[in-house]
Structures are given as structure tokens and as C-alpha cells.
Amino acid sequence: MEGPGQEAYEERMRRSLDPEGYEDPGIKGSHLSLGEMSRAGAGTGSPLHAWRARAEELTPLRQYLPSRRGCYDLDGRRRAAGAPPGQASRRGGGQPPSVTDVDLEAAGSRRPVSQRDTHEGYVELHELVMDVTKELCWMEAGHWLKLEEDFKEAGHWGQPHLSFLTYRSLLEIRRALAKGAVLLDVAATSLAAIAHVLIDQMIYEGQIKPQDRDDILRTLLLQHKHPSEAESVRTLLPAQLQRSGTSRAETEQPLLREQQPLEMRRLAGAEQSPSGATRPQLPEKIPEDAEATLVLVGCAAFLEQPTLAFVRLKAAVTLDAVLEVPLPVRFLFVVLGPDTPNVSYHEIGRAVATMMSERVFRRDAYLAEGRQDLLRGVEDFLEASIVLPPTETPNEQLLRSLVPLQHELLRRRYQPPEKVAGEGFLKDLGLEEPAPEDDDPLRRTGRPFGGLVRDIRRRYPKYLSDIKDALSPQCLAAVIFIYFAALSPAVTFGGLLSEKTKGMMGVSELLISTCVQCVLFSIFSAQPLLVVGFSGPLLVFEEAFYSFCSANGMEYIVGRVWIGFWLILVVLVVVACEGSVLVRYLSRYTQEIFSFLISLIFIYETFSKLVTIFKDHPLKRHYDVKADVEPKVPEPNTALLSLVLMAGTFFLAFFLRKFKNSAFLPGTARRLIGDFGVPISIFIMALVDFFIKDTYTQKLNVPKGLEVTNSSARGWFINPMGNDNPFPIWMMFASVVPALLVFILIFLETQITTLIVSKPERKLVKGSGFHLDLLLIVAMGGLAALFGMPWLSATTVRTITHANALTVMSKTSAPGEKSQILEVKEQRISGLLVAVLIGVSILMEPILKYIPLAVLFGIFLYMGVTSLFGIQLFDRILLLLMPPKYHPDEPYVTRVKTWRMHLFTFIQIIVLALLWVVKSTPASLALPFVLILTVPLRRFLLPRIFRDIELKCLDADDAVVTFEEAEGTDVYNEVQMPS
């Protein structure tokens, strides 16, 4: 056991001690024989009693002991610092004991204890081995940073993985901790000082014999090594500690009895190839304020039973040449015991390390006032653990059924039924307290415009920070990205709007309207993360209203002006009455029916326009080709090329969306390509059309500069009394009906988008303003109609993309761990700059005029198809065609009978069919009114058919908030309306 390297190491340790306390000759010479130990209980003259008396006299030694030593009898009663085991401290009579801060914490209120700082944890497990020079040393066997990493036999660190523990090891910890030494708030500053205090406490409590003191002390002060290709716990012989004088051969005993470690038998089984570096880049992963736990395990042949000792230091200290990373150590676990066939100290050490890496148990360890608190922490850990019975698993798919149970156990563990350990408990666990009722933006005040006033008071005081927070490179990157994300649909909808309104409004009007309204919204809004733009529902209304006006001989563009006037009046009344609170009654049931209908309209319109192209340019053997293209003269190959452009644009955009969530290329490059998928698709297919010179395709009609799309029919200002003919007076008043329809569409999409972006998971801190934002958007749209420009609404997809681009995620402290939100750059500048760039884009006429309309049809189809993927109704329709054994493990499937789930789906399909019939008739303007009728249907009729638990599963808002796209997941899964 002795060697020149070990002697030098011990000498350095001795010099780090307080010579007045630990160089005491009495304590150094305290060796007891086995015979003396057998007489230890023979009375006050026994050697053990003499040793204890000697230990009590060592005043300098007590500077390292806590004010409450954490010494308990087996019945849980705390005894005084100097009382022998079995004699509890007495408070009554005699001299009152000294009162310390910890004693005050223990006296009734736990408030001071709950305010004790807690930190992120890093754990290292060191095992007692025999190195290549035949000297005992501590070798790192693994480390934990939430996940476990162990050193492989191939000479490299393995991939981080979940720790799979044996139930027996957890029971051994529970049993050993109930009898082992527990020292809390030890004021030691070196490993040697900790070791002296710990051994004295273990002897004091009868855990070890006094004659073994020096052997165990020397063992605890052995050199600590870290694995390399040359030596590791996989290649070195485990050692067994013997008493002084034992031959070297007897120390070379297996610690694990050749048992393969549990983590080597994981179900995944596949060995990961080395990444090239033999040492993990730990400093980059560890949080700045982390504190370490050191776990030491080894075999000691002279011990009669396994012994566990727990030490919590009063202040974390950096131990020289111990850990692999320079972190201060707060906790120390020591597990020693005899070589027993049924006990694996390696597995016990792994279990201890795993518990200390778990945030709730680590919190318990920080706040523990004694042994019983630690035992309760272990019991809580066991209650939240899952035990697999020793039965064969036919396939790994069956293990997935454990995930919901684990989620439920974690929910109970992280959200205890009563408030634990003070106000900061949930905050330290990453669970924010619910917002106070007064801060709820959808709570009625009972005063006219009370909600609007409260929105202004809540948001405008933070105006200066809205500007300061924009001074970040992330905001600049978001501006570039959101510009293209907003420009593509503006051009697409502008082209389609021009076609449906015969040029009364088009790309020019939509770009200018988007620019002006977005600038004003960015300046005055309560939630500047919303992206205002044109959307599918508004396009459907514009087409229906244009058809209505054409059929009745009225000027469409003038009718929009009167609708705009009524819009302003309606929104004032609604905001004054705090009507935004009604958004609470819009359940997923109504949202999904509407979004499914809009998606169907998108898809139907795409193929309808394609059929129109085939009718205008049919496929035939001979064509009468003219030098110039004439409207009614068929052109060769026009229909086929339009089909290719439309399908090519759709499939290319769809592929790039899937590619974003694939496993190819680095994540940054992959997301960059996927995020710009729509502009890339438009550019590529427009380029294809550009190089095909001999085939005609209809192009996007874009005016030059600030001209209107159809200058012969209208100007920039619309006369409310009529441009060419007087506008009917009765229609001026009747316009309130279509105004209500437009208001319903804007209200639905704007408020639902605000609800999505304001979910607590996104951790926005500046709040939203439902009333103020609705007033701004509707009022600006009403005034825009006076200039012949489209009204807009908040767009769901673009808003979610904007919020995600401004979200700052934490660097994962452990590979495989989900990133957490650090902050969201809630500011106004990014939206303002995007609006200005869109306005400048009106000067891109030389480029935009080369975009074929068939390419825009492909984008239209893309928006309709991709919007279906986030709709639960669509998923349940697919389940109608699936055998039940292939149904997914979702609450609406597992907790609702299959036939009742299909009944709910059929009811939605019937309502959807009714809406389609209304849309296809001259009464299509009444579509929003019919949609609103689904709200009372859901609230009053469906509860008579379905039980409450069934409606909670079928109509739950269970869309997952997506920050970083994983494979198969994107923001469309969160969207309930295509935009």
C-alpha cells in the first residue's frame, strides 16, 4: 500500500492540515487491538470510552464540526453534540445550550432553511482500485451531469445515457443511511480535514473500530486518478482494503466479483463509436454555479457490514487533484463494506450518484436538517421510481408504455400537493408559480374599456425595454428570416387576390397595406411579436364578397369602404364591453372545424384553378399558334407546364419542410434550408419557367412602383359614395352584416394566435394585450379599406415562427437533455424592420413579374396540406380507416371508446359538410355566422351526448409548444388555422 508516490501525496495532505489540531500525538497514536476492542463496552475504563473522552478534549478538532452534528439514534431522536448514543439531548433544566443559526432554523419555521442556496449538480463516482504500479488509488468510474457517462473498455467516454439502477442497490442505500454517519454543514476546507471529521464521527457512532482509523484515513487520502486509454476501472484490478500488515496479494480482490456493470447491459446495447477525444468536454456542459458531489466506494475486508457516510459541507470547497473538473465540492458520500457476494458496491455507488444528480433529491440534500430528512428524500425517490419485474420483454415497443406512467410520477414529484420548503421550491425546479388573478389579460374589469386601459398600463411602461432588448444579433437574424417568411405569402396571396377580384386588389395593395399596418402595429401594440398579414380566411371572404357585389351590380371596392366603417364601430363596441374574454369559449372543437374547412378550400381552389388552365389550354394534336398570346387561344404545353410547376413547387416545399426535421447535415444548416423552403421553392420553379422560352404560362401581375394593380378601374383613394355609380344607400347600412363576418374572422385568428404565443410554456414576461391588439388590427383594417387596401389579421404560422426566432434557449448541460428557455427577446424593432423591408419590396416589380401563377398555386396547395397535419380532426378521420390495434397511444384513443371517438368525429364531419354547403352557395357570406353556432353546439349539446372525461380528451388543447424542431415535428403541429 505504501509507495513513493503515495507518500508524497500524503505529505502534501498533511501540510494542508491545521498542525495544532491534526498533528496531535494522542490522536495519531490511537491504535486499538482486537482484544481491546472486545472489551470496549466493559465500562468507563474501556479503551473505547477512553478514546471517546480523548476525542472530546480535542478542541481544535471541533472547528471543523457543524453546530448541529446531525447525530441520531436509530429511533430518530437527535442527541447532543457530546452525548453518547442512546442519550437524547435534554432542553429542560441546567445550562441552556448555545443557540446557533441552524438551531433557529429547526425551531418551528423552515423559512430560513428553505432560503439556503441550491445549485446544479455534478457527480463523480470513484472506486478503489490497484493501479499499474500496484498501489491503491481512487479511479473515476463515471460522472453524472443529469445523465450518466461511463468510461468504455475501448478507451473512450461513452454517450450520456439514463441510469438504470438495481432495486437492491436502492434498498441497500436506504438501509445503510438509516445507520450510517450523517454530518451536516461541516466547516472543513480540505479533503484531509473532511476525512478526519468523518472518521471520528464513524468511530464515535460505532460504525468502525478505532484500530482501523489510520487505515481508513490513509485510504480516503489516496490519490485520485481519472481514466485514460492506459488505465481505467475496466482495465485495473479492483482492490480490497486490508488492515495494516496484510500482504499485498490479499488486497488484490475483485470489487465487483467479475460482474458486468448494469449499464453495459442496456437494452439499447449498441456501442457508440468514440468521437475522437478521450476526455469529454465537461467544462462546456457544466453550469457556472454548479457544485459537485464526490462518491467514494470500495471494499474493506475488516468491516463487518456495509457502511455509508454522508457529509454536507457548510460551504463548497475546491479539493485539489480530486475531481476531473475544477468545481467546488459540497457533498461527499463514502461507501465501504466487506466483500459480500450479494452486494455490488459499484451499483450502490451508481445509485448514490444517480440520486444526487436528480434535482429533487439534491434539493432535499441541501435542505436536510438531519438523518430523517435524508431518509424521507430517499423514500420519495423510491416512490417516483419504476421497478421492472424480472420477466422477458418480447420487444422494446412494450417499454414505451412506461412513458406515461413516468410522466405522471414526475408530475407528482415536481408539483407536490402542498407547498414545500418555501416560496422558491417550484422556481428552483423550473416550475413557475401561476400568474396572479389580477394579471390575467382575459379577466373582466366591469368598466367600459377597462380591459383596454389595463392592457396599456401593463405594456406601455415597458416600452423602453422593448427598444433596448432589440440590441441583439439574434434580433437581426430574426428580421432577415421573418422578412422572407412574410414576403412569400404576401406575394402568393396578392397574386391570388388579384385573380379573384379581377385586379381590384393585388400584390401592390397587399404589400403596401402590410407595410403600413405592420409599422403602426409594431409601434403601438401590446404584443409586438404578432406578425400581421393576409390569410386564407380573409381571401375566402374577399372572393365571396366580390361575387356578391358582381351579381348585384354594386362596386366591390366601394362596398369594402362601408364595411371598413362598420368594422371600426363594431370593434369599439366589442372592446368597450371587453368582448375579447369570449375567446375563452372557443374550444379546439370550433377551431379545428374552421381550420379544416380553410385547408379544404385551399386544396380545392388549387385544383380548380389547374382545371381552368386545362380548359383554357386543352391537350390536342394541333394548335393554332399566334405570334402573340391571345386570351382565348389555346397554347401548346401550357397546361402541362403549369401542372409541372404547381406540383414541383408543392413537392419541393414539402420536401424541404421534411428535410428541416431530418437527420441530414448539421442542425443549423438543416434548419436554415427548411425555414427558407418556400422562397427556395418559388425561386427554383420560377427559374425553371424562365429557361423554358417557347411555352406560355400566366405570370404574376405586378404594377411598377406605387401604382395600383388596375389603374383604369380605381385609384389610391376610394370615394365612399361611389366611383363610377352612386353606391346604394340601403347597402351602406346593410354593410354591417359583412362587417360582422369580417370581424369574426379577424377576431378568431388574431385572438387564437395571441393565445398560442402567450402560452405559459413560452415564458413571456411582458404580457399580452388582447383588447388593445384587436382594436389596432381591426381599426387599421377599416381605415385601409378607404384606400382600397386589404384588411389584415394576426397570422398564426408567421407569428409562431417569429417568436421561435427570438427565443433564447439554454445550452444543454447534459447531452440528450432538452434545452430550456432562458428568455424571449420581446421587442418592437424586428417587426418594424420587417414591415419596412416588405414596403421596399414593392420596387421588386422587375423580379416579381417573372413568377408564374402556377407556382403560387403550388404554395397555396402546400399551405392547405401542411395545415392539416396539426389538426386532431384530420388524425381522427384517418383512424376511421385504421384497425384499432394500429391506433396511436393518445388520450383521445386510450381513454375514449373507439365507437364514441368515431361518433365525435362524425359530428364534426357533418358540421364541416354543412359549412361547405354554405360556402358553395350564394349565402357564402354567412359562413362565419354558421361557424359561430358551433360554440353553443359544443357547450350545450355535446355534454348531453359525451361524458365530461371524454370531452376533456377529445377537445383538449394538447398541441405541443415547439421551440426546437425535432424529427417529424414543426410549428404546424401547434397551428390550428392555416395562414
Side-chain angles (χ1 to χ4, degrees), residues 27 43-59 61-62 82 84 203-204:
I27 200 68
T44 57
S46 65
L48 179 58
H49 182 83
W51 189 93
R52 284 178 174 168
R54 176 61 177 158
E56 289 294 333
E57 295 173 359
L58 294 178
T59 303
L61 180 61
R62 293 181 180 173
I203 295 175
Y204 185 86

Side-chain angles (χ1 to χ4, degrees), residues 539-594:
L539 180 65
V540 174
F541 172 83
E542 296 289 359
E543 182 183 15
F545 186 66
Y546 181 82
S547 301
F548 172 81
C549 292
S550 299
N552 291 276
M554 291 182 292
E555 289 184 285
Y556 157 76
I557 202 70
V558 178
R560 293 184 77 259
V561 175
W562 287 100
I563 292 177
F565 291 158
W566 282 108
L567 272 178
I568 296 174
L569 181 60
V570 169
V571 73
L572 287 174
V573 173
V574 171
V575 172
C577 299
E578 299 181 293
S580 292
V581 300
L582 296 177
V583 74
R584 294 183 183 274
Y585 301 107
L586 294 176
S587 68
R588 190 185 184 105
Y589 178 84
T590 300
Q591 298 171 29
E592 288 195 334
I593 290 176
F594 185 41

